[in-house]
Amino acid sequence: DGINSQKDSVKVEEARRKMFTTLQQSVHKAYVKTVETITPALSSSKFQEGVLTPDEFVQAGDLLTYKCPTWSWEAGDSAKAASYLPKDKQFLMTRNVPCYQRLKALEDGINSQKDSVKVEEARRKMFTTLQQSVHKAYVKTVETITPALSSSKFQEGVLTPDEFVQAGDLLTYKCPTWSWEAGDSAKAASYLPKDKQFLMTRNVPCYQRLKALEDGINSQKAQVFQEDGEDWIAPGSYGPTDDKIIDASGPSTDIKNTSSTTTTSTQGDDDDDDDGDIPDAETFDQDNLVDEDSATLSKKEEEVDNVLLTRTYDISITYDKYYQTPRVWLFGYDEKRQPLKPEQLFQDISEDHAHKTVTIDSHPHLGIPCAYIHPCRHASVMKKLIERQRAAMEEREKATDTSSLSQKEKETKQKEREDKFHSEQVERYMFLFLKFIAAVIPTIEYDYTMDMDM
């Protein structure tokens, strides 16, 4: 009744939590007391596991009382003495320890701390930065003394440098918005061709912040793929379309060499103006419209179009020798072509990845600060996706009649299929990789014009 009479829901929840905690502690206390009664004290040392025998406890206490005279051994009530400890060394005690302020005062910032949340966040970031610096130094050392991967381990989700180049060649061929770059020759990796150090695509549009997408501010709906009871958001599918669920288990389609979403097509449709595709002015903030730009707007009022200024990104892909996978780098520009600050850039990163798997570092070839997606999980994810591709291939092969073939012919055919699968999937690796990266940067509409089973 007392709980129900509390009007504040926060207090009600707090009271319930305390009641549950008290009950939990009481049960645990009774359990511990029972175990202590029937179980003998530890006799053999297990110090490496972080525990002590009674003798080790006394030994440690002796040194504490010797080094810190404010601490002393106490006997306590002889009727409650533990048989496995000396009668005069039942427990340690220190008295009159000062406490100059309440914890609440410290948390509220009375002691010069204005915001405990910001302080904790600063500590977390400092620890993360330190952790990353140590790991970075370790990785750099390992990369220096370890040769690049030479034999293929594609089925494990990783690539050799040669396979990375092979996959990049198909990407640049099918998607002309991507190109190979040489970068600074002084920073060139010896295990890659000098003119194929990394992949780059520039001026990739990012029409909205991720928060806007999540909140549905623009009321646009994403295309969803469904497989094994799980929904996958189709990368780059955001648009004013109806909700659509597509079965991802269907057969794969051929490669389509279509124009990129990141560029303006100039072939065949220059004269096809569709007024229905022109954005309505009311759907955009005034800050995102070009109001008085003679270079882009007609002088005649009736011919004025809405010109949407948007963020753009330069995206590059390098080969990570340590993790043996591609590594994605992002450098963003605001609507006025000014470089984005880190806090602005993280607005376009999935909240689950920002400041965790996505951090800021100097680009290995360009030498400028970029955000990069940490590749520590790339191999495991790619392995899973490749296994799905293989399962789809095997399912299709089951429909093939091989009853007329001899066992040797079947083995030869199987070997040919395996070789073909390996060759094709190595080439298509980058497309599959970019589809998976879209989960981290879903609103950055880079080009990967190939349909594949996921």
Side-chain angles (χ1 to χ4, degrees), residues 42-335:
L42 182 66
S43 56
S44 58
S45 179
K46 292 185 178 180
F47 176 73
Q48 300 300 331
E49 297 180 14
V51 298
L52 297 176
T53 65
D55 291 341
E56 289 172 336
F57 173 74
V58 172
Q59 182 181 351
D62 286 344
L63 183 62
L64 177 65
T65 57
Y66 175 73
K67 293 291 185 180
C68 305
T70 55
W71 287 90
S72 63
W73 281 110
E74 300 288 334
D77 186 348
S78 59
K80 299 179 180 179
S83 60
Y84 45 81
L85 290 172
K87 292 183 178 180
D88 59 338
K89 295 183 178 180
Q90 290 290 304
F91 63 97
L92 291 155
M93 172 74 82
T94 183
R95 294 178 171 85
N96 300 321
V97 181
C99 181
Y100 297 111
Q101 61 179 336
R102 306 294 70 76
L103 185 60
K104 187 67 167 62
L106 178 63
E107 292 174 345
D108 290 345
I110 293 178
N111 187 24
S112 77
Q113 296 183 5
K114 296 181 179 180
D115 191 335
S116 60
V117 176
K118 290 183 179 179
V119 170
E120 183 60 30
E121 181 68 15
R123 288 174 180 167
R124 186 188 66 80
K125 286 184 178 180
M126 181 176 64
F127 176 76
T128 301
T129 301
L130 177 62
Q131 193 177 35
Q132 291 171 347
S133 299
V134 172
H135 181 71
K136 183 179 177 181
Y138 169 75
V139 168
K140 191 173 182 179
T141 302
V142 172
E143 286 184 334
T144 303
I145 63 177
T146 306
L149 182 66
S150 56
S151 57
S152 179
K153 292 184 179 180
F154 174 74
Q155 302 301 332
E156 299 298 320
V158 298
L159 295 175
T160 65
D162 290 342
E163 290 173 334
F164 173 75
V165 172
Q166 184 180 350
D169 284 344
L170 185 63
L171 178 65
T172 56
Y173 174 71
K174 292 296 180 180
C175 304
T177 54
W178 288 91
S179 63
W180 281 111
E181 301 287 333
D184 186 349
S185 59
K187 299 178 180 179
S190 59
Y191 45 82
L192 290 171
K194 292 182 179 180
D195 59 340
K196 295 182 178 181
Q197 290 290 303
F198 64 99
L199 292 155
M200 172 74 83
T201 182
R202 294 178 172 85
N203 301 321
V204 181
C206 181
Y207 296 113
Q208 59 181 335
R209 304 294 68 75
L210 189 59
K211 187 68 166 60
L213 175 64
E214 293 171 346
D215 294 346
I217 292 177
N218 58 2
S219 72
Q220 294 180 339
K221 299 176 181 178
Q223 189 180 53
V224 177
F225 289 89
Q226 193 175 68
E227 178 182 9
D228 299 331
E230 297 180 354
D231 290 343
W232 294 58
I233 296 178
S237 68
Y238 307 103
T241 61
D242 295 332
D243 281 339
K244 188 175 183 182
I245 303 295
I246 298 177
D247 185 3
S249 61
S252 63
T253 59
D254 294 334
I255 299 172
K256 296 186 292 184
N257 189 7
T258 61
S259 60
S260 166
T261 58
T262 63
T263 58
T264 302
S265 176
T266 59
Q267 299 178 358
D269 59 354
D270 291 347
D271 297 327
D272 296 333
D273 294 329
D274 185 0
D275 293 340
D277 292 335
I278 298 176
D280 185 75
E282 294 179 358
T283 62
F284 300 103
D285 294 334
Q286 292 300 320
D287 291 340
N288 288 335
L289 298 177
V290 178
D291 295 326
E292 298 178 2
D293 188 345
S294 58
T296 57
L297 298 180
S298 172
K299 295 181 180 179
K300 297 181 181 181
E301 184 175 353
E302 63 272 13
E303 296 180 0
V304 174
D305 293 329
N306 293 327
V307 179
L308 174 63
L309 293 180
T310 182
R311 287 185 180 182
T312 57
Y313 280 87
D314 292 344
I315 305 177
S316 59
I317 303 175
T318 61
Y319 179 77
D320 192 293
K321 182 183 175 184
Y322 180 80
Y323 289 101
Q324 301 166 350
T325 64
R327 181 189 288 237
V328 175
W329 300 81
L330 306 169
F331 189 85
Y333 302 89
D334 65 14
E335 293 78 1

Side-chain angles (χ1 to χ4, degrees), residues 15-31:
R16 288 175 179 165
R17 188 187 64 79
K18 287 183 178 179
M19 181 176 66
F20 177 77
T21 302
T22 302
L23 176 62
Q24 192 177 37
Q25 291 171 344
S26 298
V27 172
H28 181 70
K29 183 179 179 181
Y31 169 76

Side-chain angles (χ1 to χ4, degrees), residues 379-425:
S380 60
V381 174
M382 289 302 297
K383 179 182 178 181
K384 186 175 181 180
L385 295 178
I386 291 168
E387 287 173 350
R388 290 187 178 185
Q389 295 279 306
R390 175 178 291 279
M393 179 199 73
E394 292 174 350
E395 192 65 28
R396 291 192 296 270
E397 291 300 329
K398 287 180 180 179
T400 305
D401 185 12
T402 58
S403 57
S404 61
L405 301 178
S406 66
Q407 183 61 32
K408 185 175 181 180
E409 289 174 330
K410 289 180 181 179
E411 291 176 355
T412 302
K413 194 172 184 63
Q414 177 65 23
K415 179 68 166 54
E416 291 175 351
R417 283 199 299 264
E418 288 290 335
D419 292 343
K420 181 180 179 182
F421 175 80
H422 181 274
S423 176
E424 289 181 350
Q425 293 307 309

